[in-house]
Amino acid sequence: MQEEIFVSGRNIPHIDPILQVWHFPISLYLFLGGMAAGIIFFASLFTVLRKEKEVQTTVKTGMLIALIGIVIGLIALLYDLTHMFYAWQLYTTIRIESPMSWGAWVLLIITFLLTFWVFSYFTEMFPKWDWKFDFLKNLEKFFQKNRRIMAMIMLPLSIILGVYTGILLSAFNARPLWNNAILGPLFLTSGLSTGAAAIILFSKDHFEKHLFTKIDLALVVLELGLIIHMLMGMYAGSHVQLEAMQILVGGEFTLMFFGFVVILGLIVPGIMEGIELMGHKVPSYVPALLVLIGGFIFRIVMVEAGQITRYLY
Amino acid sequence: MNNSRRTFIKISAMGMGGVALSTTAFGSISNEFLSDDNLLAKTAKNLKRTPTYCEVCFWKCAAWAYTDENNNIKKLIGNENDPHCNGRLCPRGTGGVGMYADEDRLKTPLIRVKGKNGEDDTYRKASWEEALTLIANKMAEVKDKYGPESMALLKHGSPGSHLEHLFKAYGSDSIAEPAYAQCRGPRETGFGLTFGSWIGSPEPTDIRDTKCLVLIGSHIGENMHNSQVQEMSDAIDNGATIIAVDPRLSTAASKAQHWLAIKPSTDIALLLAWMHVLIYEDIYDKEYVKQYGFGFDELKEHVKEYTPEWAYGITTIKPEEIRKTARVMAASAPSVIVHPGRHVVWYGDDSQRERAIAMLNGLLGSWGRRGGFYFKEKVKVPKFPHPPYPKPKWGWEEIGEKYPYAEMGITSELIKASIPGENEEHPIKAWIVAGTNLVNTVPQREMIEKAIDSLEFIAVIDTMPMEITGYADVVLPECTYLERYDGIRSATNREPSIALRMPAAKPKYESKPVWWIAKQLGEKLGLHDYFNYNDFEEVIAWQLKQMGTSLEEMKKIGVKKFPRKSGPIFLEEGQPYEFATDSGKIEFYSPDLAEKGFDPMPKYTDHKQPDQGFYRLNYGRSPMHTFSRTINNPNLFDLKSENKLWVNPKVARVEGLKNDQEVWLENQDGIHSTFPIKVRVTERIRWDSVYMYHGFGHNNKKLSRAFGMGESDTKLMTRVVVDPLMGGTAMRGNFVRILTENPNKDIES
Amino acid sequence: MRYAMVIDTLKCVGCSDCVVACQTENEVPIGYCRDWVTETVNGAYPTVEIELKSERCNHCDNAPCVRCCPTGASHIVEGGIVKVTHDECIGCGACIESCPYDARYQHPEGYVDKCTFCHHRLEEGQNPACVSVCPTKCMYFGDLDDPTSEVSELLKSRKHKVLAPEAGTDPNVYYLIK
Ligand SMILES: Nc1nc2c(c(=O)[nH]1)N[C@H]1C(S)=C(S)[C@@H](COP(=O)(O)OP(=O)(O)OC[C@H]3O[C@@H](n4cnc5c(=O)[nH]c(N)nc54)[C@H](O)[C@@H]3O)O[C@H]1N2
Ligand SMILES: Nc1nc2c(c(=O)[nH]1)N[C@H]1C(S)=C(S)[C@@H](COP(=O)(O)OP(=O)(O)OC[C@H]3O[C@@H](n4cnc5c(=O)[nH]c(N)nc54)[C@H](O)[C@@H]3O)O[C@H]1N2
Ligand code: SF4
Ligand code: SF4
Ligand code: SF4
Ligand code: SF4
Ligand code: SF4
Ligand SMILES: [Mo]
């Protein structure tokens, strides 16, 4: 028999349980960040392609939701900082090696651009709104004119943001569950998919809905592929990765992962979207909601499960 | 109406409402913002240091207490010059700050208030004047009614000497401490009978220079007696062979080249077989035995039958292993130590086992030899002048007269004498208890509770609201060792040394040092001439001056060494030497034992093994704790907050136990554990025993951290075998069953 | 200058003095720790072996905690000591997640704290608190760049290991083994 114990230290109230320093807000932040990245990506893409007229919900309500999402996400992030009043220290330096650092910068830039973007659509979205001051009106016009430039900047940034939500985790090779190269693309895909789902949920335009259902289905299939890839990778990986995988496939997170993420969050909505695309009537908010909920639970599972996987030495 | 009067009060009960919450010095440092550890470094420089010696156990390591500008004690560091610690305290000594900082400490004197209409008794706060007057009056009353001898002192540690002085001045010599009959007694008897010398504390073992260290049970490394642990490490560095005889894989056993996983209770068989091998393979130290030995031929004849093959059947240790280890010892001799151990009250024939150990050392020629046992020496601290003590009519000797080799008071016999009818000639009527948590220290709790119920008065002097305080009529809060002067430490060693203890901080709350308490009681009893000083500092200053140093010097250095005067530390080749035995020699055969009707040479006797479904209750030390006294210490509690029940995986399978599962225990007499204890499934323990650290399972709620954490081994020790030579209470003959359901459901715990 | 700690598992008795000494030296609050002790038991009674060791931040040459820190609060100073500047730390926890040894903790004040190799003591020419208190003297501290230092000599003459080498962190705490 092998036995490994802490003789002292560590197994005390304030250390081991709390070493799981990331909690629910981080999952929320990653989820909202990913979803926002998805929406921004689509809105920017269609704008760059000069097809924004066809996806009006995406560029208007969608981007407003993305902005709200990012702001809530940022609040959640701040809330989870334990030395919150020093948060400004984030913006005293750029540290390329730290995803947290460049992520914070990307987020800051995107938040500004997104605010300008939403600003530029404000009177279109709320026709009764009246900017009391002329300079605001002029500013709105200025942003309206430069939407395409903003889109051109935001397009790559949104991809970075989407990937970042995954890389933030995968950069930690101390947590075997996170430490794999698939996590970036996987989180990006999931972000795009939840972005698309959000658009489906809010769009009233049939064409737009149909378009994003197609896109989402493709993303769902891709995401399933990536998840299989990730699990296979871990299966073939080191002892610690194998143990990490076990948490997902045969451990305390299995129900959440397979039940809520893979089946209810991907396979079921995927099938429903397929049925819908074949022309059958399906209430489109159902798969969209499932994808969103699944995406959120996915972040929770990855954040929570990842933190309990560790190097056994 | 006597029997309910001293029901145990969990001091947390009413009557304590007014006690203000104190803040822990170390609980948080929130009001002080540390921007960087440079700041720490700066504060560190401002610390003031005061000499002390540690009271967390009885090794008494000299240390420096560091206090900050607010007079808070921050850390304790060993005194470099001290042979007990060499500048390194053990974890308990380092964590000694927690003794001072513990916010659960006793804060004021307390007086028992009888509960009205069947309600529980409570305590009320009292002034020192009131509490001391009450105790002095009781002492006077006992003296009038029964004679001063009926007033007993049960003590341990530094408070002891001050109270001993008071008691002797008052006329009582009914004094005992658990460090004898619950601890070292048998080895002092066994070695005394053989070499004419006590082992004493610290043990005069030259471990650092040894080539072979044999540990019979003694679990150095868990038993953290400091310089021994340090020297065992030196011995490892020097490539010494360690032979550990222990049914459990102790930490020391894990460092040993030879771990003899002996069947519990069979050590004497192994010791006899070892002697057989040494003698019949002719590899004992012939010169040494010839020159210093007495009764070797009798021994040779005696151990003839005790072959390794014979011992194998008893100990389960293979004959070739016994032979091999005996040869290793012989090859290392005389630089070999068969360690006497310290807590040696195991199976009742302990003095005889210790004698076997002593004789083995005799055969190996290790007494008085480098790498064996050195001749220890200490300096005498002159007694502060006082009138001669009155002569009591009887005292601890008479109380323990059944045990001819007892050389100190037998705690358990004093306790027994407190039960009416148990000792008509020497009845004990009242106790002062200081520095010993008797109920968690002495086995057979039922007997202690019976004694307590019968007593007319109990005063307890402690620093913490330990179990024993809950039985007291008056509780006096002593300040901790870090807040007081105490007697000069003078202990035996290679080189004599003394150490000073002085207050590093003012006593917290209303606590007071025992020297002050003793003096106040003395004054009230009209014994002023025995306490002819205002402050104990005067006594120390006077003594130091007599010894050729001064308080000023000692405040600066903390420890002072003196040159040896008693002669060389080891025997020279062929040096004539007279041992302090009757024959003047090392007694392999003891005529004195024979004359008193005991075995003149140790014999092996069988001890009961556990019945089906029961396991032997084995216990020992947690390296981070001292008995029950440190469990509530915030720093040390942090390291180890509960004891666990070690069980072998086989046992776990049979009993269906998992790691960290909570279980309860029931002993052979149907006594249950009060609290659940968590299981540790481990290969370090045999399948016929379970193991736990001693000291846990506190049941006084006022110990806010320690309460209910783990289980008390003492509570499960209802059966003891008394050593017929010196009265030690052997504790290792208790057996337990493992229960997976709480047997105390309807009992309030 | 490359500081390293060398710990002899053959002498360590698991007493945890190193833990409590760190606590009192560095004012680590009760309930937290910068170092800790582990025990590994292998075998079956009565052929059982124990390895006891005191663990702490490894002051990794390739420190993921420093890499992932967004503010630079975690940084490396002279001698390779990895430190945290408390008032640059935002408490994001990234470094905690990044450390394969779980060597960091969140101080109740909010910032992240860890072993400093007792930098403040080194500056005064003293050994780290844990090293200087260890009753078995099984801990050694010194400069690996100096081939004559005690730590260099020990690593030359004794078999040793580091923890989780597969994590690729290049630790500077070494364990002497059989
Ligand atoms: N940390 C710490 N250190 C202490 C103390 C403390 O409270 N805490 N107390 C100090 C005091 S006062 C004392 S007396 C000493 C006591 O310390 P020791 O004298 O070392 O005590 P032992 O009872 O010999 O040690 C217990 C060991 O005996 C083994 N044992 C049990 N039964 C048998 C048996 O039948 N045969 C053999 N050979 N071994 C057996 C147990 O498995 C265990 O490993 O410790 C001192 N040191
Ligand atoms: N079951 C079991 N019983 C044992 C042992 C065992 O291993 N198992 N070991 C035995 C051995 S070897 C020994 S030596 C004895 C030890 O027996 P004790 O000395 O009784 O052991 P502790 O439980 O530490 O109790 C010490 C008491 O002194 C108090 N105290 C501490 N410091 C001070 C102080 O400065 N002033 C005053 N006034 N009080 C203070 C503590 O709060 C505590 O109540 O126990 C023996 N009993
Ligand atoms: S051995 Fe430890 S607890 Fe005992 S006196 Fe020394 S430092 Fe204190
Ligand atoms: S102080 Fe030394 S012996 Fe004790 S646990 Fe720490 S490293 Fe081991
Ligand atoms: S042990 Fe952990 S905290 Fe220390 S340097 Fe390495 S990664 Fe960083
Ligand atoms: S918690 Fe502090 S030290 Fe750690 S990565 Fe974040 S800012 Fe850096
Ligand atoms: S080196 Fe200093 S900070 Fe690090 S564990 Fe040791 S005592 Fe603590
Ligand atoms: Mo003892």
Side-chain angles (χ1 to χ4, degrees):
Chain A
M1 190 184 121
Q2 201 199 35
E3 190 193 5
E4 295 199 49
I5 57 171
F6 287 119
V7 173
S8 67
R10 281 292 294 282
N11 47 345
I12 47 181
H14 293 295
I15 303 281
D16 250 353
I18 288 189
L19 263 186
Q20 288 181 39
V21 286
W22 285 352
H23 312 98
F24 175 80
I26 296 291
S27 317
L28 184 68
Y29 162 70
L30 293 181
F31 167 70
L32 292 173
M35 185 194 73
I39 298 173
I40 299 166
F41 173 78
F42 292 122
S44 313
L45 182 69
F46 286 108
T47 307
V48 172
L49 296 176
R50 298 189 200 280
K51 296 224 168 90
E52 64 266 38
K53 291 278 172 300
E54 293 161 27
V55 288
Q56 281 295 296
T57 320
T58 310
V59 296
K60 291 182 190 163
T61 326
M63 289 297 254
L64 178 60
I65 287 166
L67 179 60
I68 295 170
I70 282 190
V71 170
I72 295 176
L74 276 172
I75 293 172
L77 176 69
L78 278 178
Y79 175 79
D80 217 41
L81 294 181
T82 54
H83 223 202
M84 208 190 295
F85 298 114
Y86 293 79
W88 52 271
Q89 289 279 2
L90 274 172
Y91 296 106
T92 57
T93 169
I94 301 185
R95 301 180 47 83
I96 297 303
E97 281 186 315
S98 163
M100 191 71 112
S101 174
W102 53 257
W105 281 102
V106 167
L107 236 105
L108 185 75
I109 299 167
I110 279 201
T111 310
F112 278 114
L113 290 171
L114 200 55
T115 312
F116 302 152
W117 180 283
V118 170
F119 189 63
S120 79
Y121 273 113
F122 219 78
T123 38
E124 268 181 65
M125 278 194 272
F126 308 97
K128 287 196 198 121
W129 188 268
D130 175 35
W131 297 113
K132 297 249 161 46
F133 302 101
D134 277 349
F135 81 92
L136 286 174
K137 286 180 192 150
N138 295 338
L139 209 57
E140 186 177 4
K141 286 212 188 72
F142 172 76
F143 286 133
Q144 277 163 358
K145 259 189 252 141
N146 289 305
R147 267 191 204 136
R148 228 174 137 251
I149 294 177
M150 287 200 276
M152 268 146 60
I153 304 173
M154 280 203 288
L155 189 61
L157 285 182
S158 69
I159 296 175
I160 295 175
L161 180 61
V163 174
Y164 153 72
T165 60
I167 287 194
L168 180 63
L169 301 185
S170 71
F172 297 127
N173 55 6
R175 311 287 146 193
L177 182 67
W178 294 343
N179 183 22
N180 63 73
I182 311 289
L183 222 57
L186 178 57
F187 271 53
L188 174 64
T189 313
S190 172
L192 291 173
S193 161
T194 48
I199 295 169
I200 297 171
L201 203 60
F202 285 95
S203 175
K204 297 200 179 61
D205 178 74
H206 182 72
F207 170 80
E208 197 178 11
K209 268 189 171 174
H210 193 75
L211 175 64
F212 277 98
T213 304
K214 270 197 279 186
I215 292 176
D216 197 43
L217 179 58
L219 289 166
V220 162
V221 172
L222 180 61
E223 195 177 335
L224 277 169
L226 287 170
I227 286 179
I228 292 168
H229 191 147
M230 176 179 82
L231 293 179
M232 298 294 285
M234 285 197 248
Y235 187 68
S238 64
H239 178 68
V240 279
Q241 282 190 316
L242 203 65
E243 258 176 38
M245 187 193 75
Q246 243 121 41
I247 290 184
L248 296 185
V249 302
E252 46 182 308
F253 285 92
T254 306
L255 177 72
M256 268 187 76
F257 182 65
F258 274 105
F260 288 93
V261 179
V262 177
I263 299 177
L264 280 178
L266 291 171
I267 297 178
V268 171
I271 292 172
M272 289 175 82
E273 284 172 348
I275 294 172
E276 195 184 344
L277 290 175
M278 286 190 302
H280 302 280
K281 192 96 190 99
V282 172
S284 64
Y285 64 89
V286 175
L289 270 177
L290 284 177
V291 165
L292 284 168
I293 295 170
F296 185 31
I297 295 180
F298 181 47
R299 303 308 191 283
I300 296 179
V301 169
M302 289 308 285
V303 168
E304 297 288 326
Q307 289 182 88
I308 61 174
T309 65
R310 50 182 60 159
Y311 268 91
L312 297 171
Y313 51 85
Chain B
M1 189 50 232
N2 244 0
N3 53 4
S4 71
R5 63 176 277 275
R6 212 169 282 103
T7 46
F8 167 63
I9 306 179
K10 292 164 181 141
I11 286 200
S12 64
M14 295 111 325
M16 294 280 293
V19 179
L21 269 179
S22 69
T23 47
T24 338
F26 298 92
S28 104
I29 47 166
S30 49
N31 34 15
E32 180 187 356
F33 179 65
L34 303 173
S35 69
D36 198 285
D37 11 53
N38 292 336
L39 205 110
L40 270 180
K42 254 180 255 140
T43 51
K45 280 191 194 116
N46 292 335
L47 298 180
K48 186 185 98 209
R49 66 177 207 181
T50 316
T52 185
Y53 58 87
C54 181
E55 181 83 11
V56 189
C57 84
F58 308 108
W59 207 249
K60 298 186 181 153
C61 300
W64 297 106
Y66 286 81
T67 44
D68 67 9
E69 42 299 310
N70 304 323
N71 220 20
N72 267 322
I73 301 173
K74 292 296 203 183
K75 59 178 179 184
L76 292 158
I77 306 285
N79 187 315
E80 290 278 350
N81 272 325
D82 183 36
H84 297 234
C85 77
N86 305 305
R88 294 164 187 257
L89 298 181
C90 89
R92 302 163 296 151
T94 308
V97 283
M99 305 313 254
Y100 161 78
D102 197 329
E103 70 288 2
D104 291 340
R105 277 171 58 173
L106 291 171
K107 300 180 176 80
T108 66
L110 301 169
I111 293 180
R112 177 178 288 261
V113 184
K114 202 96 204 81
K116 289 190 198 84
N117 346 317
E119 277 172 30
D120 285 349
D121 293 2
T122 53
Y123 284 110
R124 67 174 168 82
K125 282 203 271 179
S127 69
W128 275 101
E129 181 54 29
E130 186 189 6
L132 290 167
T133 308
L134 181 61
I135 298 173
N137 288 346
K138 281 288 171 184
M139 288 178 79
E141 191 186 312
V142 169
K143 192 173 189 168
D144 283 352
K145 265 181 27 197
Y146 312 100
E149 299 83 359
S150 287
M151 184 90 212
L153 171 62
L154 295 155
K155 48 92 180 180
H156 201 186
S158 302
S161 61
H162 304 291
L163 293 166
E164 211 170 322
H165 175 61
L166 169 71
F167 265 63
K168 287 184 172 160
Y170 158 85
S172 170
D173 203 12
S174 305
I175 301 173
E177 62 179 49
Y180 187 69
Q182 280 70 45
C183 176
R184 315 173 339 222
R187 79 167 190 203
E188 313 303 4
T189 302
F191 274 71
L193 281 166
T194 313
F195 293 110
S197 168
W198 271 32
I199 293 292
S201 177
E203 289 81 2
T205 44
D206 189 19
I207 300 179
R208 67 180 183 205
D209 300 322
T210 199
K211 292 194 190 127
C212 179
L213 175 63
V214 186
L215 301 170
I216 316 284
S218 181
H219 54 335
I220 299 177
E222 288 159 286
N223 154 0
M224 283 306 291
H225 273 168
N226 198 342
S227 39
Q228 280 201 65
V229 177
Q230 299 188 14
E231 292 198 16
M232 185 169 85
S233 191
D234 295 338
I236 293 174
D237 267 345
N238 297 339
T241 307
I242 299 178
I243 299 170
V245 183
D246 199 311
R248 178 185 68 102
L249 181 72
S250 62
T251 301
S254 78
K255 315 273 178 211
Q257 285 78 358
H258 304 275
W259 170 35
L260 308 187
I262 196 168
K263 180 172 165 187
S265 78
T266 64
D267 297 80
I268 294 184
L270 173 69
L271 292 161
L272 291 169
W274 268 341
M275 288 195 256
H276 174 96
V277 178
L278 291 180
I279 294 174
Y280 287 93
E281 290 193 5
D282 220 23
I283 48 176
Y284 66 98
D285 191 331
K286 281 174 283 286
E287 292 297 305
Y288 183 91
V289 170
K290 205 166 119 211
Q291 186 176 4
Y292 305 115
F294 172 86
F296 173 77
D297 295 334
E298 286 91 334
L299 176 65
K300 184 168 179 176
E301 188 52 34
H302 178 67
V303 298
K304 192 169 178 185
E305 306 301 317
Y306 298 136
T307 60
E309 286 69 24
W310 163 81
Y312 174 48
I314 295 167
T315 60
T316 72
I317 298 169
K318 297 209 177 72
E320 52 284 17
E321 194 67 17
I322 298 178
R323 289 213 160 79
K324 191 160 71 188
T325 42
R327 289 173 200 145
V328 171
M329 289 182 226
S332 314
S335 283
V336 51
I337 300 164
V338 187
H339 199 285
R342 185 164 179 128
H343 172 70
V344 290
V345 283
W346 294 0
Y347 301 103
D349 49 6
D350 305 304
S351 296
Q352 291 286 9
R353 185 186 64 251
E354 286 298 323
R355 220 174 101 65
I357 294 174
M359 288 155 65
L360 189 60
N361 279 301
L363 290 177
L364 292 161
S366 63
W367 191 268
R369 306 292 274 279
R370 181 176 299 281
F373 294 78
Y374 59 79
F375 294 122
K376 59 194 181 180
E377 189 180 321
K378 74 170 182 180
V379 272
K380 210 171 151 38
V381 179
K383 194 103 171 84
F384 192 75
H386 63 77
Y389 294 131
K391 196 164 165 20
K393 290 200 208 58
W394 48 272
W396 62 264
E397 273 188 275
E398 286 72 16
I399 297 172
E401 65 197 350
K402 264 199 294 186
Y403 304 100
Y405 292 102
E407 291 184 81
M408 280 176 76
I410 302 169
T411 345
S412 23
E413 290 300 309
L414 257 72
I415 294 171
K416 221 182 274 164
S418 313
I419 302 172
E422 287 283 348
N423 195 336
E424 299 289 3
E425 281 161 65
H426 315 116
I428 297 293
K429 294 295 178 185
W431 291 355
I432 288 185
V433 182
T436 169
N437 190 13
L438 282 182
V439 281
N440 249 327
T441 294
V442 179
Q444 296 181 292
R445 192 169 295 177
E446 205 187 1
M447 173 188 83
I448 303 171
E449 290 190 334
K450 210 155 140 200
I452 287 174
D453 274 346
S454 321
L455 289 165
E456 295 190 3
F457 183 73
I458 301 177
V460 173
I461 307 171
D462 208 303
T463 53
M464 294 291 299
M466 294 291 194
E467 281 73 14
I468 186 63
T469 59
Y471 295 94
D473 295 295
V474 181
V475 181
L476 300 180
E478 187 175 22
C479 56
T480 65
Y481 66 104
L482 296 167
E483 302 157 294
R484 66 186 193 223
Y485 274 108
D486 255 319
I488 294 165
R489 181 205 80 187
S490 168
T492 57
N493 239 296
R494 292 183 174 96
E495 221 184 334
S497 69
I498 56 167
L500 173 69
R501 174 186 287 166
M502 63 177 288
K506 277 208 297 294
K508 276 195 172 181
Y509 317 111
E510 287 174 38
S511 62
K512 295 275 189 192
V514 158
W515 69 256
W516 181 88
I517 296 171
K519 178 175 156 66
Q520 299 308 306
L521 292 173
E523 305 279 356
K524 287 188 193 302
L525 289 163
L527 303 168
H528 175 79
D529 291 349
Y530 293 87
F531 297 93
N532 208 354
Y533 44 84
N534 291 315
D535 196 310
F536 199 68
E537 190 183 62
E538 294 164 35
V539 177
I540 292 184
W542 180 86
Q543 289 172 322
L544 289 171
K545 210 162 145 205
Q546 307 297 305
M547 299 173 81
T549 167
S550 67
L551 188 56
E552 285 61 47
E553 186 192 20
M554 286 303 288
K555 282 182 178 178
K556 277 189 222 110
I557 57 177
V559 170
K560 191 177 176 71
K561 290 184 178 161
F562 291 83
R564 273 180 79 94
K565 284 188 184 146
S566 65
I569 182 164
F570 298 116
L571 290 168
E572 319 266 300
E573 193 69 40
Q575 175 195 336
Y577 187 84
E578 182 162 334
F579 289 82
T581 52
D582 287 346
S583 60
K585 296 194 176 267
I586 300 170
E587 295 198 344
F588 293 111
Y589 177 92
S590 167
D592 196 54
L593 276 175
E595 192 190 313
K596 294 206 166 79
F598 299 105
D599 293 335
M601 285 170 295
K603 282 191 188 136
Y604 171 74
T605 40
D606 250 345
H607 295 284
K608 189 174 167 6
Q609 298 300 323
D611 291 334
Q612 181 69 28
F614 280 86
Y615 303 93
R616 188 182 292 277
L617 177 63
N618 188 0
Y619 58 89
R621 307 279 172 254
S622 155
M624 303 84 157
H625 284 288
T626 303
F627 315 118
S628 68
R629 71 177 55 194
T630 57
I631 313 295
N632 204 65
N633 173 318
N635 300 76
L636 300 177
F637 180 85
D638 226 22
L639 299 178
K640 176 87 33 220
S641 55
E642 61 189 338
N643 59 353
K644 290 194 175 173
L645 186 74
W646 296 25
V647 301
N648 185 278
K650 287 199 184 99
V651 174
R653 214 172 310 130
V654 172
E655 303 280 343
L657 304 174
K658 283 203 294 286
N659 259 324
D660 286 330
Q661 175 181 351
E662 292 192 331
V663 295
W664 290 259
L665 300 172
E666 180 184 272
N667 79 355
Q668 70 282 334
D669 298 321
I671 296 295
H672 292 145
S673 54
T674 312
F675 303 105
I677 180 169
K678 289 186 189 141
V679 166
R680 171 184 178 190
V681 181
T682 179
E683 296 282 5
R684 291 181 65 178
I685 176 91
R686 284 168 68 90
W687 45 87
D688 62 359
S689 337
V690 293
Y691 181 79
M692 63 166 86
Y693 292 139
H694 166 60
F696 290 83
H698 278 287
N699 68 351
N700 194 337
K701 290 204 170 110
K702 195 64 196 168
L703 299 166
S704 61
R705 277 170 292 272
F707 174 79
M709 298 299 283
E711 180 47 29
S712 160
D713 56 335
T714 320
K715 194 189 174 199
L716 298 163
M717 293 174 176
T718 48
R719 201 167 289 179
V720 302
V721 185
V722 180
D723 189 310
L725 274 64
M726 50 58 69
T729 55
M731 306 179 183
R732 294 227 150 112
N734 288 275
F735 307 103
V736 293
R737 237 155 44 85
I738 302 170
L739 311 175
T740 49
E741 267 170 46
N742 188 352
N744 316 300
K745 276 203 179 104
D746 35 83
I747 308 165
E748 184 238 12
S749 59
Chain C
M1 178 98 84
R2 188 155 68 93
Y3 286 123
M5 200 179 269
V6 174
I7 301 171
D8 191 347
T9 62
L10 303 190
K11 290 198 286 177
C12 173
V13 293
C15 68
S16 306
D17 205 357
C18 44
V19 180
V20 66
C22 179
Q23 185 169 58
T24 56
E25 173 68 29
N26 295 306
E27 308 211 14
V28 176
I30 299 290
Y32 301 80
C33 62
R34 285 183 177 186
D35 54 347
W36 61 95
V37 179
T38 61
E39 175 182 329
T40 316
V41 185
N42 269 308
Y45 189 96
T47 36
V48 198
E49 292 201 333
I50 310 178
E51 183 179 276
L52 288 158
K53 56 183 155 20
S54 168
E55 301 181 15
R56 61 190 47 59
C57 169
N58 287 287
H59 298 274
C60 308
D61 282 348
N62 183 19
C65 56
V66 173
R67 257 184 285 125
C68 72
C69 176
T71 64
S74 283
H75 62 288
I76 299 183
V77 300
E78 159 83 5
I81 299 176
V82 175
K83 287 186 75 177
V84 181
T85 310
H86 294 156
D87 50 14
E88 282 177 21
C89 170
I90 63 173
C92 66
C95 53
I96 294 183
E97 301 292 5
S98 79
C99 172
Y101 309 97
D102 292 339
R104 297 172 161 244
Y105 69 95
Q106 269 167 340
H107 192 280
E109 298 277 342
Y111 53 78
V112 162
D113 190 51
K114 62 179 275 297
C115 164
T116 58
F117 266 173
C118 284
H119 198 203
H120 66 285
R121 287 173 65 97
L122 303 181
E123 283 171 343
E124 288 168 23
Q126 287 177 297
N127 266 331
C130 51
V131 174
S132 71
V133 81
C134 172
T136 67
K137 292 161 273 180
C138 75
M139 307 171 87
Y140 304 87
F141 191 82
D143 178 9
L144 278 188
D145 282 344
D146 171 5
T148 64
S149 68
E150 197 175 24
V151 285
S152 299
E153 293 291 347
L154 281 165
L155 293 186
K156 261 182 266 167
S157 61
R158 292 274 305 269
K159 202 169 152 199
H160 57 267
K161 67 173 182 187
V162 293
L163 301 182
E166 68 277 17
T169 50
D170 292 345
N172 280 310
V173 177
Y174 296 82
Y175 293 91
L176 301 178
I177 52 177
K178 231 189 246 169

